[in-house]
Amino acid sequence: MKLLSIIWLWATLLMCHGYRILGIFPYKGRSHFIMFEHTMKSLARKGHQVDVIGMFPLKKPVPNYTDLLVLPVSTAFMNNLTYAKLQQDTNRPMSFVIIATLVGNDICHFLGHPDIQKLVRDPPKDPPYDLVIIEIFGAHCYAAIGHILKVPVVGVSSSVLYPWSNDMIANPENLAFAPNNLLSYPQHMSFWQRTHNLLHTLYNKYYFNYATREQNEIMRKYLGPGLPDIRELENSVAMILTNSHMSMNGIKDRTPALIEVGGLHVQEEGVELPASLEKWMNESTSGFLYFSFGSMVKIESFPVKYLEIFYNSLGKIAPVRVLMKIPNPSELPPGLPKNIHILPWIPQVKVLKHRNIKAFITHGGLMGTQEAIHYGVPLIGIPLFADQFINIDTYVRNNIAVRLDIETLTEEKMDEALHAILHDSKYRDTMQKISAKFLDRPLSATDTAVYWIEYIIRHGADALRSPAMDLTWWQVQLLDVCAFLLVVALLSVYLLIVAVRFVLKLANGHRKVSNKKKIS
């Protein structure tokens, strides 16, 4: 009884000192939400009361975590992205257009949902909200809810920060050595790469800001006409947590309001490993490869010519085994090699952590590859869409991955990639070193995120605000100072020329007078 009383008292104290936090994540990308879910769970475990608006409710209840509103999903992405759909999407506009419109303006219309309307008009008061957390991607209109509730807004980005998001917190961009995350350039860029980086960044910022002006009308339609402009709401964001880390994304200038928490989603809690799978991995004494294209892509939907390449090449590496995620095994063609074990669902972190794993064949999604980095597993990357090409290029430059392109894939290329990743020690050795750097931090990614969120609640929305937010872009770049100094320099040169001319004129005049006196 005494122990129970102590536990109850401790839980009560935690709740008394906890905050109430609202998380709003209306985008239907499951891979994005994984990071947000773990952030909110971590806050809940610290005793804070968290309410979540999103599309992915918890499968198992978590104390202090409430799925306040589950938004409707128009299209199911989980295990539903076929090869034909991938080919169709390659003809769509550039990614920044999609981010601004389809996953930006369009999902702002959820502001009209009756439950969100009720929340805004009659927010909870016992206790009230202390903070709002939103995704930093395309739909920054949800910062308006923080404005209405009069609480700080913290942003979370599931990727490296996009070009247009840096201005929200006046994060410095040194485009001389920091390529934007829509380009796959190295940090040591050539002159033409730096030129392209500058022009590409400016164009993306201009287009995103132009395209998302529509969010002003949407916000004011659903939340009232008196709301500030979307750019002003963006600039009110107190801090951004970003899914990046210097060990992979390089050394960059950074304001204190940008907190790197790369790998925050890598968690084993609640992940169960089936006994049969654990037995198979333990018995893979010659090692095994893990092959998965993530939570959306159906490998079994790929043309037979590609599946035959996989079959033939992977069959050759026996006795090394292969664990393959196939959502619908019945759709695979016959002839699966005996060393390949297929499952419709696989607990990825448990597999990547296993002592017998040799490598990870992946499409290059950021979440999955960060899990591989966390556990020191080298990669074979076959990028298919979005940021996967840039991710894999980054890993190739760092000697932790071999890249293959699906359009030009042959059995010979697949054989070469498998031989390199299995027999060239540089990939595993380099990955182990990078993994050590990735994990070597003063606090874990989770504890870092929780600390700074609590910091903003304790000290206010302006606690990390950069003074650059109060300056225009030309003042930040010191163009006005440079212009002033240039004018002063030109004026000084002009005055010097005038003075020299005046002195020369006086000297000439004096010489003429002297000559006249001599003649007379």
Side-chain angles (χ1 to χ4, degrees), residues 409-425:
L409 185 64
T410 64
E411 189 173 330
E412 291 74 21
K413 291 180 179 179
M414 187 76 186
D415 289 346
E416 290 173 4
L418 289 169
H419 184 272
I421 211 72
L422 288 172
H423 301 293
D424 190 339
S425 60

Side-chain angles (χ1 to χ4, degrees), residues 101-131:
T101 55
L102 297 181
V103 298
N105 301 342
D106 289 1
I107 65 174
C108 285
H109 286 284
F110 280 123
L111 288 169
H113 192 286
D115 289 344
I116 294 181
Q117 291 283 299
K118 180 181 178 182
L119 175 70
V120 170
R121 289 174 169 75
D122 186 23
K125 299 180 177 61
D126 188 23
Y129 287 116
D130 298 290
L131 184 84

Side-chain angles (χ1 to χ4, degrees), residues 100-357:
T101 55
L102 297 181
V103 298
N105 301 342
D106 289 1
I107 65 174
C108 285
H109 286 284
F110 280 123
L111 288 169
H113 192 286
D115 289 344
I116 294 181
Q117 291 283 299
K118 180 181 178 182
L119 175 70
V120 170
R121 289 174 169 75
D122 186 23
K125 299 180 177 61
D126 188 23
Y129 287 116
D130 298 290
L131 184 84
V132 170
I133 300 178
I134 66 171
E135 178 177 12
I136 300 301
F137 193 41
H140 302 154
C141 53
Y142 290 92
I145 294 180
H147 174 81
I148 293 171
L149 298 178
K150 295 181 172 57
V151 297
V153 176
V154 165
V156 185
S157 174
S158 62
S159 67
V160 178
L161 212 59
Y162 282 92
W164 49 82
S165 300
N166 286 292
D167 293 340
M168 296 171 64
I169 52 174
N171 188 55
E173 298 170 277
N174 195 323
L175 298 174
F177 65 85
N180 75 58
N181 70 325
L182 294 169
L183 297 173
S184 59
Y185 292 153
Q187 286 207 299
H188 297 286
M189 292 179 281
S190 67
F191 170 79
W192 295 113
Q193 287 174 330
R194 285 185 284 120
T195 302
H196 184 219
N197 187 34
L198 172 63
L199 297 177
H200 189 269
T201 300
L202 293 175
Y203 175 69
N204 274 269
K205 286 185 177 184
Y206 170 80
Y207 185 92
F208 181 86
N209 290 337
Y210 174 80
T212 53
R213 291 185 305 171
E214 183 182 325
Q215 294 184 23
N216 285 320
E217 299 175 14
I218 299 170
M219 290 187 303
R220 290 161 184 166
K221 174 184 176 181
Y222 296 121
L223 302 179
L227 285 172
D229 183 84
I230 184 64
R231 301 284 86 86
E232 187 177 340
L233 288 172
E234 286 177 339
N235 292 343
S236 70
V237 170
M239 176 185 74
I240 297 176
L241 303 172
T242 178
N243 190 22
S244 61
H245 189 260
M246 62 182 178
S247 61
M248 282 310 307
N249 304 110
I251 305 298
K252 300 177 182 178
D253 296 337
R254 198 172 78 226
T255 178
L258 182 66
I259 310 295
E260 288 194 315
V261 290
L264 178 147
H265 69 286
V266 185
Q267 305 281 341
E268 294 183 59
E269 181 186 1
V271 180
E272 297 179 2
L273 182 63
S276 59
L277 177 57
E278 185 174 17
K279 181 175 182 293
W280 183 91
M281 291 192 295
N282 290 340
E283 292 175 349
S284 301
T285 53
S286 296
F288 70 90
L289 303 183
Y290 173 49
F291 190 165
S292 172
F293 280 165
S295 61
M296 298 192 299
V297 178
K298 296 176 64 177
I299 297 176
E300 62 272 29
S301 71
F302 279 48
V304 173
K305 65 176 182 178
Y306 294 131
L307 295 177
E308 287 180 348
I309 291 172
F310 295 149
Y311 281 17
N312 295 337
S313 291
L314 294 172
K316 294 175 189 175
I317 65 173
V320 175
R321 291 168 149 188
V322 180
L323 177 62
M324 206 168 179
K325 177 183 176 290
I326 303 293
N328 295 293
S330 61
E331 297 180 16
L332 282 176
L336 189 73
K338 292 182 180 179
N339 66 324
I340 298 181
H341 181 52
I342 59 174
L343 288 171
W345 176 83
I346 294 173
Q348 187 158 285
V349 291
K350 294 287 189 180
V351 170
L352 292 171
K353 186 182 179 182
H354 198 274
R355 65 184 181 276
N356 288 337
I357 191 167

Side-chain angles (χ1 to χ4, degrees), residues 12 51 66-67 70 83 159 162 190 243 268 284 305 405 408 460:
T12 303
D51 298 334
T66 302
D67 284 305
V70 179
Y83 181 82
S159 67
Y162 282 92
S190 67
N243 190 22
E268 294 183 59
S284 301
K305 65 176 182 178
D405 292 301
T408 59

